[in-house]
Amino acid sequence: MKAKTFVDQVEVIVRSGKGGDGSSSMRREALVEFGGPDGGDGGRGGDVVFVASEHVNSLLSFYYDPKCFAQDGGNGQSQKMFGKRGKDLVVPVPLGTEVYDALTDLLVADITEPGQRVIVAKGGAGGYGNVHFKSSVNQAPTEHTPGGEPEERRLRLELKTIADAGLLGFPNAGKSSLLSSLSSATPKIANYPFTTLNPMVGTIVYDDFAKIAMADVPGIIEGAAKGVGLGLAFLKHLERSKVLVYVIDMAGTDNRNPWDDYSVLKKEIDEYSSELAERPFLVVANKMDEPQSAENIVRFREETGVAPIEISCASGDGLDKFKAELRKIVNPKTKFHHTHAAAPDVAEMPDTTGDEIPADALRFATFLKLEKPKEKSHPSRGNIH
Protein backbone atom coordinates (compact mmCIF):
# COMPACT_ATOMS: atom_id res chain seq x y z
CA MET A 1 0.00 0.00 0.00
CA LYS A 2 1.37 3.41 -0.96
CA ALA A 3 1.90 5.65 2.05
CA LYS A 4 0.63 9.21 2.18
CA THR A 5 3.22 11.95 1.72
CA PHE A 6 1.08 15.06 2.17
CA VAL A 7 -1.95 15.81 4.36
CA ASP A 8 -3.59 19.24 4.57
CA GLN A 9 -6.69 18.43 6.68
CA VAL A 10 -7.01 16.17 9.70
CA GLU A 11 -8.96 15.80 12.95
CA VAL A 12 -7.13 15.35 16.24
CA ILE A 13 -8.01 14.80 19.88
CA VAL A 14 -6.15 17.00 22.34
CA ARG A 15 -6.22 16.54 26.11
CA SER A 16 -4.37 18.52 28.70
CA GLY A 17 -2.96 17.05 31.90
CA LYS A 18 -5.11 16.55 34.99
CA GLY A 19 -4.16 18.61 38.03
CA GLY A 20 -2.61 16.67 40.92
CA ASP A 21 -4.65 16.13 44.08
CA GLY A 22 -3.84 18.02 47.25
CA SER A 23 -2.51 15.99 50.18
CA SER A 24 -4.07 15.54 53.59
CA SER A 25 -1.22 14.87 56.01
CA MET A 26 -0.25 15.60 59.62
CA ARG A 27 3.29 16.23 60.74
CA ARG A 28 4.46 13.37 62.94
CA GLU A 29 8.00 13.80 64.09
CA ALA A 30 9.94 12.97 67.23
CA LEU A 31 10.20 15.85 69.74
CA VAL A 32 7.63 17.90 67.78
CA GLU A 33 4.58 18.17 70.03
CA PHE A 34 2.25 20.13 67.80
CA GLY A 35 3.05 19.16 64.21
CA GLY A 36 -0.13 20.30 62.59
CA PRO A 37 -1.20 19.85 58.97
CA ASP A 38 1.55 19.65 56.35
CA GLY A 39 -0.18 18.33 53.20
CA GLY A 40 1.21 19.97 50.04
CA ASP A 41 -0.58 21.09 46.90
CA GLY A 42 -0.92 19.05 43.73
CA GLY A 43 0.98 20.01 40.61
CA ARG A 44 -0.63 21.71 37.65
CA GLY A 45 -1.38 19.58 34.60
CA GLY A 46 0.50 20.18 31.37
CA ASP A 47 -0.89 22.26 28.49
CA VAL A 48 -1.17 21.19 24.86
CA VAL A 49 0.57 23.87 22.81
CA PHE A 50 0.72 24.26 19.03
CA VAL A 51 3.84 26.08 17.82
CA ALA A 52 4.31 27.38 14.28
CA SER A 53 7.41 25.87 12.70
CA GLU A 54 9.07 26.72 9.38
CA HIS A 55 10.51 23.20 9.27
CA VAL A 56 7.13 21.46 8.94
CA ASN A 57 5.10 21.65 5.72
CA SER A 58 2.38 19.05 6.21
CA LEU A 59 -0.06 17.67 8.80
CA LEU A 60 1.16 14.16 8.05
CA SER A 61 2.31 13.44 11.62
CA PHE A 62 -1.23 14.07 12.93
CA TYR A 63 -2.64 11.67 10.34
CA TYR A 64 -0.68 8.77 11.83
CA ASP A 65 -0.91 9.91 15.47
CA PRO A 66 -4.04 12.01 16.04
CA LYS A 67 -3.92 11.94 19.85
CA CYS A 68 -2.11 14.77 21.65
CA PHE A 69 -2.12 14.15 25.41
CA ALA A 70 -0.14 16.23 27.91
CA GLN A 71 1.27 14.92 31.19
CA ASP A 72 -0.78 14.89 34.41
CA GLY A 73 0.35 16.84 37.44
CA GLY A 74 1.74 14.97 40.45
CA ASN A 75 -0.13 14.66 43.75
CA GLY A 76 0.89 16.68 46.79
CA GLN A 77 2.78 14.95 49.58
CA SER A 78 3.50 15.34 53.26
CA GLN A 79 5.99 17.88 54.64
CA LYS A 80 4.32 20.53 52.45
CA MET A 81 5.84 19.03 49.31
CA PHE A 82 4.12 20.18 46.15
CA GLY A 83 3.36 17.72 43.37
CA LYS A 84 5.38 17.83 40.16
CA ARG A 85 4.00 20.04 37.40
CA GLY A 86 2.96 18.09 34.32
CA LYS A 87 5.06 18.67 31.21
CA ASP A 88 3.49 20.68 28.41
CA LEU A 89 3.06 18.88 25.12
CA VAL A 90 4.54 21.23 22.49
CA VAL A 91 3.54 20.19 18.97
CA PRO A 92 5.05 21.85 15.86
CA VAL A 93 2.55 22.71 13.11
CA PRO A 94 3.10 24.24 9.66
CA LEU A 95 2.75 27.95 9.04
CA GLY A 96 -0.75 28.66 7.74
CA THR A 97 -2.54 26.10 9.93
CA GLU A 98 -6.10 26.98 10.89
CA VAL A 99 -7.44 25.28 14.03
CA TYR A 100 -11.20 24.71 14.26
CA ASP A 101 -13.37 23.16 16.96
CA ALA A 102 -14.66 20.04 15.23
CA LEU A 103 -17.99 20.14 17.09
CA THR A 104 -18.91 23.83 16.74
CA ASP A 105 -16.85 24.61 13.60
CA LEU A 106 -15.57 27.79 15.28
CA LEU A 107 -12.10 29.06 14.47
CA VAL A 108 -9.84 28.56 17.49
CA ALA A 109 -6.58 29.93 16.06
CA ASP A 110 -4.95 30.97 12.80
CA ILE A 111 -1.24 30.16 13.05
CA THR A 112 0.68 32.31 10.58
CA GLU A 113 3.76 33.74 12.33
CA PRO A 114 6.98 31.73 12.92
CA GLY A 115 7.26 30.76 16.58
CA GLN A 116 3.61 31.60 17.31
CA ARG A 117 2.35 29.60 20.28
CA VAL A 118 -1.30 28.70 20.86
CA ILE A 119 -2.56 26.82 23.93
CA VAL A 120 -5.34 24.61 22.59
CA ALA A 121 -5.94 22.70 25.85
CA LYS A 122 -5.11 24.19 29.26
CA GLY A 123 -3.94 21.95 32.06
CA GLY A 124 -6.02 21.45 35.19
CA ALA A 125 -5.06 23.37 38.32
CA GLY A 126 -3.45 21.56 41.20
CA GLY A 127 -5.56 20.78 44.27
CA TYR A 128 -4.97 22.38 47.68
CA GLY A 129 -3.42 20.42 50.51
CA ASN A 130 -4.84 20.55 54.02
CA VAL A 131 -2.17 23.05 55.06
CA HIS A 132 -4.37 25.75 53.46
CA PHE A 133 -7.33 24.98 55.71
CA LYS A 134 -5.80 25.42 59.16
CA SER A 135 -7.15 28.21 61.33
CA SER A 136 -7.50 29.15 64.96
CA VAL A 137 -10.73 27.16 65.20
CA ASN A 138 -9.63 24.28 62.99
CA GLN A 139 -6.08 23.40 63.94
CA ALA A 140 -6.13 19.84 62.55
CA PRO A 141 -8.01 20.04 59.25
CA THR A 142 -8.27 17.02 57.01
CA GLU A 143 -9.87 18.89 54.11
CA HIS A 144 -8.07 18.87 50.79
CA THR A 145 -9.20 19.43 47.21
CA PRO A 146 -8.77 17.25 44.13
CA GLY A 147 -6.89 18.46 41.09
CA GLY A 148 -8.67 20.21 38.24
CA GLU A 149 -10.07 18.10 35.44
CA PRO A 150 -8.21 18.03 32.11
CA GLU A 151 -9.55 19.82 29.06
CA GLU A 152 -10.30 17.52 26.15
CA ARG A 153 -11.28 18.73 22.68
CA ARG A 154 -11.67 17.42 19.17
CA LEU A 155 -10.04 19.81 16.71
CA ARG A 156 -9.92 20.02 12.94
CA LEU A 157 -6.67 21.28 11.44
CA GLU A 158 -6.61 22.78 7.96
CA LEU A 159 -3.42 23.83 6.23
CA LYS A 160 -3.53 26.83 3.90
CA THR A 161 -0.10 27.45 2.44
CA ILE A 162 1.32 30.94 2.97
CA ALA A 163 2.58 32.28 -0.36
CA ASP A 164 2.74 35.73 -1.95
CA ALA A 165 1.85 34.44 -5.42
CA GLY A 166 -0.10 31.40 -6.59
CA LEU A 167 0.25 29.63 -9.94
CA LEU A 168 -2.93 28.52 -11.73
CA GLY A 169 -3.21 26.63 -14.97
CA PHE A 170 -4.25 23.51 -16.85
CA PRO A 171 -2.15 20.35 -16.56
CA ASN A 172 1.06 20.57 -18.60
CA ALA A 173 0.85 24.37 -18.80
CA GLY A 174 4.35 24.64 -17.34
CA LYS A 175 3.63 25.79 -13.77
CA SER A 176 6.17 23.44 -12.24
CA SER A 177 8.75 24.41 -14.87
CA LEU A 178 8.20 28.08 -14.06
CA LEU A 179 8.56 27.43 -10.32
CA SER A 180 11.79 25.47 -10.79
CA SER A 181 13.19 28.12 -13.16
CA LEU A 182 12.70 30.97 -10.68
CA SER A 183 13.44 29.23 -7.38
CA SER A 184 15.37 26.36 -5.87
CA ALA A 185 12.21 24.26 -5.56
CA THR A 186 12.36 20.87 -7.29
CA PRO A 187 8.80 19.91 -8.28
CA LYS A 188 8.23 16.84 -10.40
CA ILE A 189 8.20 17.74 -14.11
CA ALA A 190 6.94 15.28 -16.72
CA ASN A 191 4.96 15.26 -19.94
CA TYR A 192 1.67 13.87 -18.64
CA PRO A 193 -1.35 15.38 -16.86
CA PHE A 194 -1.48 15.93 -13.10
CA THR A 195 2.24 15.57 -12.55
CA THR A 196 1.83 17.85 -9.52
CA LEU A 197 -0.28 16.13 -6.88
CA ASN A 198 0.62 18.24 -3.84
CA PRO A 199 1.13 22.00 -3.39
CA MET A 200 4.74 23.11 -3.83
CA VAL A 201 6.25 26.38 -2.60
CA GLY A 202 9.41 28.02 -3.93
CA THR A 203 11.07 31.33 -3.09
CA ILE A 204 12.13 33.89 -5.68
CA VAL A 205 15.18 35.82 -4.46
CA TYR A 206 16.00 39.17 -6.07
CA ASP A 207 19.39 40.85 -6.35
CA ASP A 208 18.74 42.97 -3.25
CA PHE A 209 17.67 39.83 -1.34
CA ALA A 210 13.97 40.68 -1.43
CA LYS A 211 11.95 37.44 -1.45
CA ILE A 212 8.61 36.34 -2.88
CA ALA A 213 7.08 32.97 -2.01
CA MET A 214 5.30 31.35 -4.95
CA ALA A 215 3.00 28.32 -4.69
CA ASP A 216 2.15 25.75 -7.35
CA VAL A 217 -1.03 23.69 -7.01
CA PRO A 218 -2.28 20.74 -9.07
CA GLY A 219 -3.70 21.58 -12.50
CA ILE A 220 -7.31 22.68 -12.92
CA ILE A 221 -9.55 21.46 -15.73
CA GLU A 222 -13.08 22.33 -16.81
CA GLY A 223 -15.62 21.12 -14.27
CA ALA A 224 -13.11 21.17 -11.40
CA ALA A 225 -15.62 23.05 -9.22
CA LYS A 226 -17.86 19.97 -9.52
CA GLY A 227 -15.06 17.54 -8.67
CA VAL A 228 -13.71 16.74 -12.13
CA GLY A 229 -10.01 15.82 -12.13
CA LEU A 230 -8.49 16.65 -8.75
CA GLY A 231 -11.25 19.19 -8.11
CA LEU A 232 -10.61 22.50 -6.37
CA ALA A 233 -9.60 21.11 -2.98
CA PHE A 234 -6.06 22.46 -3.35
CA LEU A 235 -7.16 26.02 -4.16
CA LYS A 236 -7.40 26.76 -0.45
CA HIS A 237 -3.60 26.86 -0.53
CA LEU A 238 -3.88 30.03 -2.64
CA GLU A 239 -6.38 31.85 -0.44
CA ARG A 240 -3.57 33.73 1.31
CA SER A 241 -1.86 34.77 -1.94
CA LYS A 242 -1.62 38.47 -2.79
CA VAL A 243 -1.57 37.82 -6.54
CA LEU A 244 -2.72 34.99 -8.82
CA VAL A 245 -0.64 33.98 -11.82
CA TYR A 246 -2.52 32.36 -14.71
CA VAL A 247 -0.04 30.19 -16.64
CA ILE A 248 -1.32 29.56 -20.18
CA ASP A 249 0.12 26.99 -22.58
CA MET A 250 0.24 29.29 -25.61
CA ALA A 251 1.45 26.47 -27.88
CA GLY A 252 -1.71 24.42 -27.24
CA THR A 253 0.36 21.24 -27.02
CA ASP A 254 -2.58 19.14 -25.75
CA ASN A 255 -4.89 20.28 -28.58
CA ARG A 256 -6.41 22.98 -26.39
CA ASN A 257 -7.11 26.58 -27.30
CA PRO A 258 -5.20 28.99 -25.00
CA TRP A 259 -8.03 31.54 -24.99
CA ASP A 260 -10.51 28.86 -23.94
CA ASP A 261 -8.13 27.72 -21.18
CA TYR A 262 -8.02 31.23 -19.76
CA SER A 263 -11.83 31.57 -19.82
CA VAL A 264 -12.30 28.21 -18.11
CA LEU A 265 -9.76 29.04 -15.40
CA LYS A 266 -11.44 32.36 -14.64
CA LYS A 267 -14.84 30.66 -14.51
CA GLU A 268 -13.68 27.87 -12.19
CA ILE A 269 -11.98 30.31 -9.82
CA ASP A 270 -15.07 32.52 -9.70
CA GLU A 271 -17.25 29.51 -8.85
CA TYR A 272 -14.83 28.53 -6.09
CA SER A 273 -14.56 32.00 -4.51
CA SER A 274 -15.65 35.36 -5.90
CA GLU A 275 -13.28 37.07 -3.47
CA LEU A 276 -10.33 35.06 -4.78
CA ALA A 277 -11.30 35.87 -8.38
CA GLU A 278 -11.05 39.60 -7.62
CA ARG A 279 -7.43 39.41 -6.43
CA PRO A 280 -4.71 41.11 -8.52
CA PHE A 281 -3.48 38.75 -11.22
CA LEU A 282 -0.93 38.29 -13.97
CA VAL A 283 -1.36 36.28 -17.17
CA VAL A 284 1.72 34.43 -18.42
CA ALA A 285 2.00 33.04 -21.93
CA ASN A 286 4.32 30.07 -21.58
CA LYS A 287 6.09 27.97 -24.25
CA MET A 288 6.65 30.96 -26.52
CA ASP A 289 9.60 29.10 -28.05
CA GLU A 290 7.14 26.81 -29.87
CA PRO A 291 6.27 27.75 -33.50
CA GLN A 292 2.49 27.69 -32.92
CA SER A 293 2.70 30.17 -30.02
CA ALA A 294 3.31 33.23 -32.24
CA GLU A 295 0.04 32.63 -34.08
CA ASN A 296 -1.95 31.72 -30.99
CA ILE A 297 -0.97 34.75 -28.95
CA VAL A 298 -2.40 37.11 -31.58
CA ARG A 299 -5.79 35.45 -31.35
CA PHE A 300 -5.48 35.21 -27.56
CA ARG A 301 -5.27 39.01 -27.34
CA GLU A 302 -8.28 39.36 -29.66
CA GLU A 303 -10.44 36.83 -27.79
CA THR A 304 -9.63 37.88 -24.21
CA GLY A 305 -8.46 41.49 -24.48
CA VAL A 306 -5.50 40.57 -22.26
CA ALA A 307 -1.84 41.14 -23.15
CA PRO A 308 0.03 38.34 -21.35
CA ILE A 309 3.68 38.31 -20.34
CA GLU A 310 5.49 36.19 -22.90
CA ILE A 311 7.96 33.70 -21.44
CA SER A 312 9.70 30.45 -22.19
CA CYS A 313 10.85 28.29 -19.33
CA ALA A 314 12.97 26.24 -21.73
CA SER A 315 15.06 29.18 -22.97
CA GLY A 316 14.57 31.57 -20.04
CA ASP A 317 13.17 34.36 -22.23
CA GLY A 318 10.80 36.74 -20.45
CA LEU A 319 11.48 35.45 -16.94
CA ASP A 320 13.15 38.69 -15.84
CA LYS A 321 10.15 40.71 -17.04
CA PHE A 322 7.80 38.39 -15.17
CA LYS A 323 9.84 38.76 -11.97
CA ALA A 324 9.76 42.55 -12.32
CA GLU A 325 5.97 42.67 -12.86
CA LEU A 326 5.41 40.29 -9.96
CA ARG A 327 7.54 42.46 -7.69
CA LYS A 328 5.51 45.57 -8.53
CA ILE A 329 2.36 43.91 -7.20
CA VAL A 330 3.74 42.05 -4.18
CA ASN A 331 6.19 44.81 -3.18
CA PRO A 332 8.41 42.65 -0.93
CA LYS A 333 10.70 44.16 1.67
CA THR A 334 14.36 44.46 0.74
CA LYS A 335 17.14 43.36 3.05
CA PHE A 336 19.16 46.49 2.27
CA HIS A 337 18.95 49.38 4.70
CA HIS A 338 18.81 52.08 2.05
CA THR A 339 15.72 52.84 -0.03
CA HIS A 340 15.32 52.64 -3.78
CA ALA A 341 15.85 56.39 -4.12
CA ALA A 342 18.42 57.56 -6.64
CA ALA A 343 21.97 56.98 -5.40
CA PRO A 344 24.12 60.10 -4.87
CA ASP A 345 26.46 61.12 -7.69
CA VAL A 346 29.90 59.63 -7.05
CA ALA A 347 31.48 62.69 -8.67
CA GLU A 348 30.30 64.77 -5.71
CA MET A 349 31.95 62.52 -3.13
CA PRO A 350 34.65 64.37 -1.13
CA ASP A 351 38.28 63.24 -1.11
CA THR A 352 38.79 60.12 1.04
CA THR A 353 42.49 59.54 0.44
CA GLY A 354 43.60 61.32 3.64
CA ASP A 355 44.09 59.87 7.10
CA GLU A 356 40.51 60.72 8.08
CA ILE A 357 37.37 60.11 6.05
CA PRO A 358 35.06 63.17 5.93
CA ALA A 359 31.69 62.64 7.56
CA ASP A 360 29.92 63.81 4.41
CA ALA A 361 31.39 60.83 2.54
CA LEU A 362 29.35 58.39 4.62
CA ARG A 363 26.15 59.22 2.74
CA PHE A 364 27.71 57.55 -0.31
CA ALA A 365 28.05 54.27 1.65
CA THR A 366 24.48 53.12 0.95
CA PHE A 367 25.10 49.73 2.52
CA LEU A 368 25.37 51.30 5.99
CA LYS A 369 22.43 51.86 8.29
CA LEU A 370 22.81 55.52 9.22
CA GLU A 371 19.41 56.17 10.82
CA LYS A 372 19.54 57.68 14.29
CA PRO A 373 18.87 54.94 16.87
CA LYS A 374 15.81 55.26 19.05
CA GLU A 375 16.39 56.58 22.55
CA LYS A 376 15.91 53.95 25.22
CA SER A 377 14.86 54.51 28.78
CA HIS A 378 17.10 53.39 31.61
CA PRO A 379 15.52 50.23 33.03
CA SER A 380 15.62 51.55 36.60
CA ARG A 381 14.21 54.99 35.82
CA GLY A 382 11.19 54.23 33.69
CA ASN A 383 10.35 56.25 30.61
CA ILE A 384 12.13 59.56 31.23
CA HIS A 385 12.29 60.74 27.61
Side-chain angles (χ1 to χ4, degrees), residues 216-349:
D216 174 24
V217 299
I220 300 173
I221 61 177
E222 187 172 5
K226 300 178 181 179
V228 179
L230 295 180
L232 298 178
F234 288 105
L235 280 186
K236 63 184 176 182
H237 293 280
L238 303 184
E239 292 182 3
R240 303 180 190 270
S241 300
K242 299 178 182 178
V243 56
L244 301 181
V245 180
Y246 292 90
V247 182
I248 307 298
D249 176 7
M250 199 54 63
T253 52
D254 291 336
N255 297 320
R256 296 194 310 265
N257 295 323
W259 46 91
D260 292 335
D261 287 357
Y262 177 69
S263 300
V264 170
L265 288 173
K266 295 285 288 185
K267 175 177 175 293
E268 295 295 332
I269 296 303
D270 186 64
E271 290 184 5
Y272 174 80
S273 169
S274 58
E275 190 275 333
L276 188 62
E278 295 175 358
R279 299 273 177 90
F281 66 92
L282 293 173
V283 181
V284 174
N286 193 21
K287 303 184 182 180
M288 290 304 297
D289 54 317
E290 299 288 339
Q292 188 65 25
S293 299
E295 180 181 342
N296 286 343
I297 196 169
V298 175
R299 184 172 176 182
F300 182 87
R301 296 192 187 100
E302 295 174 352
E303 295 283 346
T304 64
V306 176
I309 302 173
E310 302 177 24
I311 70 168
S312 171
C313 295
S315 63
D317 295 337
L319 294 181
D320 290 338
K321 181 180 180 181
F322 169 70
K323 289 173 62 177
E325 293 296 326
L326 186 62
R327 177 167 186 161
K328 290 179 182 178
I329 300 178
V330 178
N331 192 24
K333 293 182 179 179
T334 176
K335 296 296 183 180
F336 284 171
H337 297 305
H338 63 81
T339 63
H340 291 286
D345 188 0
V346 180
E348 300 176 359
M349 186 172 68

Side-chain angles (χ1 to χ4, degrees), residues 161-233:
T161 303
I162 296 179
D164 300 306
L167 300 178
L168 295 169
F170 270 69
N172 284 346
K175 303 186 304 299
S176 298
S177 298
L178 178 59
L179 184 66
S180 62
S181 299
L182 297 177
S183 70
S184 58
T186 56
K188 185 177 181 180
I189 300 174
N191 189 24
Y192 57 84
F194 301 112
T195 309
T196 301
L197 298 176
N198 303 318
M200 293 286 294
V201 179
T203 302
I204 304 174
V205 182
Y206 291 83
D207 293 338
D208 59 355
F209 301 103
K211 297 181 179 180
I212 292 179
M214 189 164 63
D216 174 24
V217 299
I220 300 173
I221 61 177
E222 187 172 5
K226 300 178 181 179
V228 179
L230 295 180
L232 298 178

